Amino acid sequence: MNLKLRLLLLLVIVSLGAQAQTVYMKPHLGLRLGLNVARSTYSPNFIYNLKAQSHPNLGVFYRMRTKKWAFQPEVQLSVRGGTFKSETAVIRNNFNYASFVPVVGYIITEGLTFEVAPEFSYALSTLKSVVPLRKNEFSLGSGLRFDFMDMGEDFSLNVRYIHGFTNLSTSKTETLSNKTLQVSVIYNLYKKK
């Protein structure tokens, strides 16, 4: 190969790479669908075995980013809560939440983002459990987002641990809170020319 052909090939590869990189930098909408593995903590607990439950999560977001930071406000629908089992009863805490999640991400390397995600949630249905419950919950999530490159550039994978800080119980002597592991597949709606 002569030098001119090599330089032309190098220029084409660099320009295609630069064009692919700019797609990630542009603000865009996205959809998320995944699974929550959730459990509740309850205190004082003398009679219940606390078990995890699996439930779906669904959301939409708008992602903006710079070279090293991403801001991604999300709206999510999810089910949280665990199962309480005693010798005489099984109580499934299926808490249906709508959540606003203003995610802040630090881009470790292109395609890998560390995220911190405060969640402001509101119960869409009446919560039933072993204690009377409040409808608002504040949680904090942290995790990683992996953006697939090249052929799978429209898809990402997100893993978050969400720790509930709100005592959902309205009783002064009991506490109940949620802990959730969330795994989601993301479809990025990049605007392509």
Side-chain angles (χ1 to χ4, degrees):
M1 239 194 236
N2 67 23
L3 183 59
K4 288 182 183 179
L5 189 56
R6 286 182 187 174
L7 287 174
L8 179 62
L9 184 59
L10 179 64
L11 181 63
V12 167
I13 290 171
V14 167
S15 66
L16 287 175
Q19 184 178 7
Q21 292 294 333
T22 58
V23 111
Y24 302 111
M25 298 292 287
K26 293 179 181 176
H28 65 277
L29 286 171
L31 305 172
R32 52 186 297 126
L33 176 65
L35 184 70
N36 287 351
V37 178
R39 61 181 300 226
S40 298
T41 59
Y42 174 62
S43 179
N45 183 12
F46 304 110
I47 59 172
Y48 294 109
N49 289 322
L50 306 177
K51 304 286 184 188
Q53 292 187 64
S54 298
H55 299 288
N57 70 67
L58 175 67
V60 63
F61 64 84
Y62 186 74
R63 184 175 172 93
M64 300 161 279
R65 67 165 276 191
T66 64
K67 196 165 187 127
K68 283 305 221 179
W69 294 94
F71 180 64
Q72 179 177 304
E74 298 178 3
V75 177
Q76 280 189 36
L77 296 174
S78 64
V79 182
R80 295 189 200 147
T83 300
F84 292 4
K85 289 185 179 180
S86 71
E87 291 180 10
T88 59
V90 174
I91 300 166
R92 287 184 175 80
N93 296 318
N94 294 333
F95 304 148
N96 299 309
Y97 284 116
S99 303
F100 173 66
V101 189
V103 178
V104 175
Y106 176 74
I107 295 146
I108 299 167
T109 184
E110 194 62 51
L112 185 63
T113 305
F114 172 74
E115 297 180 335
V116 175
E119 290 198 14
F120 305 92
S121 302
Y122 183 78
L124 297 175
S125 59
T126 303
L127 300 178
K128 295 178 184 171
S129 188
V130 293
V131 292
L133 299 174
R134 61 184 96 239
K135 293 190 105 171
N136 296 319
E137 181 184 37
F138 173 73
S139 306
L140 184 64
S142 63
L144 293 172
R145 172 184 163 129
F146 178 74
D147 296 311
F148 298 103
M149 302 291 189
D150 301 324
M151 296 298 283
E153 72 182 11
D154 292 340
F155 293 94
S156 303
L157 180 66
N158 190 223
V159 178
R160 278 186 204 151
Y161 170 72
I162 304 161
H163 185 90
F165 286 102
T166 302
N167 177 10
L168 296 175
S169 171
T170 57
S171 166
K172 293 186 192 237
T173 59
E174 297 168 295
T175 61
L176 186 130
S177 61
N178 289 317
K179 316 254 181 289
T180 307
L181 177 65
Q182 188 177 76
V183 179
S184 301
V185 174
I186 295 171
Y187 182 66
N188 297 292
L189 299 165
Y190 293 122
K191 200 176 209 180
K192 298 175 186 167
K193 292 185 179 182

